[in-house]
Amino acid sequence: MIKQSLWTDNIKVRALHRLNKNIKTDILIIGGGIAGISTAFNLKNSNQQITLVDSYKIGFGVSSKNTGKVTFFQGYYNKIKDIYDNDTALLYLRSQKEAIKIIKNNILNYNIKCHFKGTSSYLFADSEKGIKELEKEEAFFTENNIKITNKKSLPIKFPLIKAISLANTAVFHPVKYILALKEELRKKKNIKLYENTPIIKVKKTANGYIAYTEKYTIETNKIILCCHYPFSIIDGYIPFKTTVEKSFLTASKTSKPKSFSAINMDSSTYSISYFDDEDDYILFLSNSNSLNKNMDNEKKYQDHINLAKEYFDHVNYAWSNHDIITSDYLPFIGALNKNLFIATGFNTWGMTNGVIAGKLLSDLLLNKDNNYINLFNPKRSLNIKVLSYNIKNGLNYINSKLNNSIEPSPKVEIIEYQGEKYGVYTDENKKRHYVKNICPHMKCNLIFNNVEKTWDCACHGSRFDIDGNVIQGPAVDNIK
């Protein structure tokens, strides 16, 4: 079993340089996942100088750790309708369909080889509570004259009581799609791309911003934050409007490929999709929980592996992912002020929401009209129905700051030295690795992840290696 995403294995990628001098640009995009690369792609024919930086390799962050679904059958529409109204839910549905159309057009126009394949999508339930939620979603589609089909089973053997399906959705290879857009951008003289270039600080100026790397600066008129989770706390107050959810995923080879995708409506999330390349795989996601409820990584990881083996006999790849969940099931995409823009909170549907983020952000920057400006406005007023969610987020943040528990392991301990707490990990060579046990982002305590051998923040998902080097944001500073 390979402990990495299926999408990043055996990928030949053209490495790009890291930033090696001070530069000036019109627009700086921070983050080279699906949202960042889509935004740059939509700006490529403008007269603006565009710079995109990624802290690692473009396309190899969170966008490389999903199930490869390109679908609008997501299970959120009745919830959005309940919070707002039917028109808002329909507008969100329209945005997801438009994202799929954009992907299709890019694949056709630029001859992108990313194994895009049309499929049917399923929603299903295996509990009384899940059936009630499924029937509400079914009613939404029926009332809005959207054709769905009742099903008694999935195309594979999997436990359920009720299911519905519809057509015109798809699966694809997300990394190959992103890398194809990257290669198109490399041809443009007004686009500069840099990898292994983390931004550690942003300073506001009279006319824009200065972004700082470890050694160099980028002076820019406008910044677009497409870095999954924003490292800025104040702008938009995103940490208090969202939670971070962790999920576990596997990919298993199959000799009986079935072209479909599915997700359940029960309290325990199961998500399934198929992908065919030289080999055929079934991708499976389970054990999704907010980070403050997901501290025993080893148990949850093993439970997921056991489930995958129970349903699909074996496992070839295994990995985990973080998703940003908003209080009203709509992402935050748009302007925080006249020079600062953001895309985050994709609610597990990063492929479609990342693509529509690229369209919306580029339209805003080019002063074009867009149907989704108000829908996804990151400064939108949240109604009374979601206030309790935000209060709960605040309480979870306080609880995570106070929690200093660690997963049981003879190799890990928390010690106190000169009034500060340190995490200590003893490796296989009996070398002890010391790190301060506080996340530099918002000062939450860190939990040791025995599965991936990292120190993880239970508040917002930052991760550090055993020597305290940051490997996933929103934190930008190492811990020592």
Side-chain angles (χ1 to χ4, degrees):
M1 181 174 65
I2 302 172
K3 289 188 176 181
Q4 75 176 79
S5 168
L6 169 69
W7 311 124
T8 59
D9 192 29
N10 295 319
I11 293 293
K12 295 180 180 179
V13 58
R14 188 195 301 260
L16 300 179
H17 295 296
R18 68 181 67 208
L19 185 68
N20 58 7
K21 62 181 180 180
N22 298 332
I23 62 171
K24 293 182 179 181
T25 189
D26 294 319
I27 298 171
L28 171 63
I29 301 171
I30 303 176
I34 187 73
I37 208 75
S38 295
T39 303
F41 192 78
N42 290 328
L43 292 170
K44 69 182 187 302
N45 294 324
S46 71
N47 59 1
Q48 303 284 318
Q49 291 296 316
I50 313 297
T51 299
L52 183 149
V53 299
D54 194 272
S55 61
Y56 182 47
K57 294 189 292 186
I58 289 173
F60 278 70
V62 172
S63 294
S64 71
K65 297 178 180 179
N66 54 73
T67 57
K69 293 181 182 179
V70 184
T71 180
F72 58 90
F73 212 32
Q74 300 173 1
Y76 286 151
Y77 298 105
N78 183 70
K79 293 178 180 178
I80 296 171
K81 176 184 174 181
D82 183 57
I83 294 170
Y84 295 107
D85 52 38
N86 190 69
D87 287 345
T88 302
L90 280 175
L91 188 58
Y92 176 67
L93 172 63
R94 177 181 172 183
S95 76
Q96 303 305 285
K97 288 185 173 182
E98 184 174 333
I100 297 173
K101 184 177 179 180
I102 291 170
I103 293 172
K104 286 182 177 179
N105 287 341
N106 285 340
I107 290 171
L108 180 64
N109 293 336
Y110 295 93
N111 193 29
I112 297 174
K113 308 297 184 184
C114 62
H115 311 280
F116 183 93
K117 186 174 184 179
T119 64
S120 293
S121 286
Y122 289 70
L123 295 178
F124 68 97
D126 191 38
S127 68
E128 184 176 338
K129 180 180 178 181
I131 289 173
K132 289 180 179 179
E133 293 299 316
L134 182 61
E135 288 175 344
K136 292 177 184 177
E137 204 71 4
E138 181 180 13
F140 169 81
F141 282 94
T142 301
E143 291 166 5
N144 288 288
N145 299 313
I146 299 170
K147 184 178 180 181
I148 57 171
T149 305
N150 282 282
K151 297 286 186 178
K152 294 181 179 179
S153 64
L154 299 181
I156 62 169
K157 187 177 180 180
F158 200 89
L160 62 81
I161 299 174
K162 179 180 174 65
I164 57 176
S165 73
L166 52 67
N168 300 318
T169 66
V171 294
F172 75 156
H173 194 303
V175 173
K176 288 185 177 181
Y177 176 80
I178 291 170
L179 293 181
L181 298 190
K182 168 187 164 183
E183 288 306 306
E184 289 298 322
L185 292 176
R186 291 185 69 251
K187 302 173 184 177
K188 307 297 292 187
K189 292 183 179 180
N190 66 320
I191 305 283
K192 302 296 182 185
L193 307 176
Y194 297 97
E195 295 181 331
N196 297 300
T197 303
I199 301 298
I200 59 176
K201 184 174 68 172
V202 171
K203 181 181 177 181
K204 196 170 184 178
T205 66
N207 299 316
Y209 290 89
I210 297 177
Y212 295 82
T213 69
E214 186 176 353
K215 294 181 179 180
Y216 304 102
T217 61
I218 304 172
E219 188 175 336
T220 180
N221 297 330
K222 300 180 186 297
I223 285 182
I224 307 176
L225 296 172
C226 294
C227 43
H228 180 57
Y229 198 106
F231 53 82
S232 172
I233 297 171
I234 296 176
D235 291 309
Y237 297 97
I238 300 301
F240 304 103
K241 298 178 182 178
T242 60
T243 57
V244 184
E245 183 178 277
K246 183 170 185 175
S247 303
F248 295 87
L249 300 91
T250 50
S252 305
K253 284 184 182 180
T254 178
S255 59
K256 299 178 180 180
K258 304 283 186 178
S259 182
F260 82 102
S261 68
I263 190 167
N264 69 337
M265 301 292 290
D266 304 289
S267 54
S268 297
T269 302
Y270 296 146
S271 178
I272 306 166
S273 61
Y274 270 86
F275 173 73
D276 57 351
D277 192 357
E278 294 178 359
D279 294 305
D280 298 309
Y281 290 92
I282 182 166
L283 285 83
F284 179 58
L285 176 152
S286 76
N287 274 8
S288 299
N289 290 107
S290 61
L291 285 182
N292 54 53
K293 296 180 181 177
N294 205 349
M295 294 179 183
D296 193 347
N297 283 279
E298 196 159 23
K299 181 180 184 304
K300 291 186 177 294
Y301 169 78
Q302 195 55 55
D303 287 347
H304 172 73
I305 296 297
N306 291 340
L307 272 174
K309 288 182 177 179
E310 177 183 347
Y311 295 132
F312 314 116
D313 296 327
H314 61 279
V315 170
N316 298 96
Y317 294 86
W319 67 98
S320 65
N321 193 24
H322 287 170
D323 287 292
I324 312 301
I325 310 299
T326 66
S327 54
D328 60 357
Y329 305 99
L330 297 172
F332 292 124
I333 308 168
L336 294 172
N337 62 50
K338 67 176 184 178
N339 293 321
L340 181 63
F341 301 78
I342 194 171
T344 191
F346 294 162
N347 297 294
T348 77
W349 301 106
M351 296 300 97
T352 48
N353 279 316
V355 169
I356 208 65
K359 181 67 168 66
L360 173 52
L361 292 170
S362 60
D363 283 347
L364 287 170
L365 289 160
L366 296 173
N367 295 314
K368 294 181 178 180
D369 191 25
N370 188 288
N371 293 316
Y372 314 116
I373 292 174
N374 293 328
L375 180 70
F376 297 143
N377 183 356
K379 300 176 75 173
R380 63 184 178 267
S381 297
L382 300 178
N383 66 31
I384 192 69
K385 293 183 179 180
V386 298
L387 284 180
S388 61
Y389 179 98
N390 292 340
I391 293 171
K392 183 179 179 181
N393 283 348
L395 293 174
N396 287 338
Y397 166 63
I398 294 171
N399 178 63
S400 297
K401 278 180 68 70
L402 296 175
N403 190 346
N404 203 38
S405 63
I406 59 173
E407 297 178 26
S409 172
K411 295 183 177 182
V412 183
E413 59 182 317
I414 303 295
I415 65 170
E416 190 166 322
Y417 177 70
Q418 294 184 348
E420 293 190 280
K421 290 182 178 179
Y422 287 79
V424 185
Y425 171 72
T426 304
D427 65 23
E428 60 273 11
N429 297 317
K430 297 185 178 181
K431 179 182 177 181
R432 290 164 66 84
H433 301 259
Y434 296 81
V435 299
K436 286 185 179 179
N437 195 39
I438 298 292
C439 178
H441 175 234
M442 289 183 69
K443 309 305 180 185
C444 292
N445 289 316
L446 299 175
I447 309 300
F448 191 75
N449 178 343
N450 273 314
V451 176
E452 295 161 294
K453 300 297 182 289
T454 56
W455 290 98
D456 296 355
C457 175
C459 289
H460 307 116
S462 297
R463 300 177 63 205
F464 307 84
D465 67 19
I466 57 175
D467 293 312
N469 299 303
V470 62
I471 55 177
Q472 179 173 304
V476 296
D477 297 314
N478 298 328
I479 50 173
K480 298 296 183 182

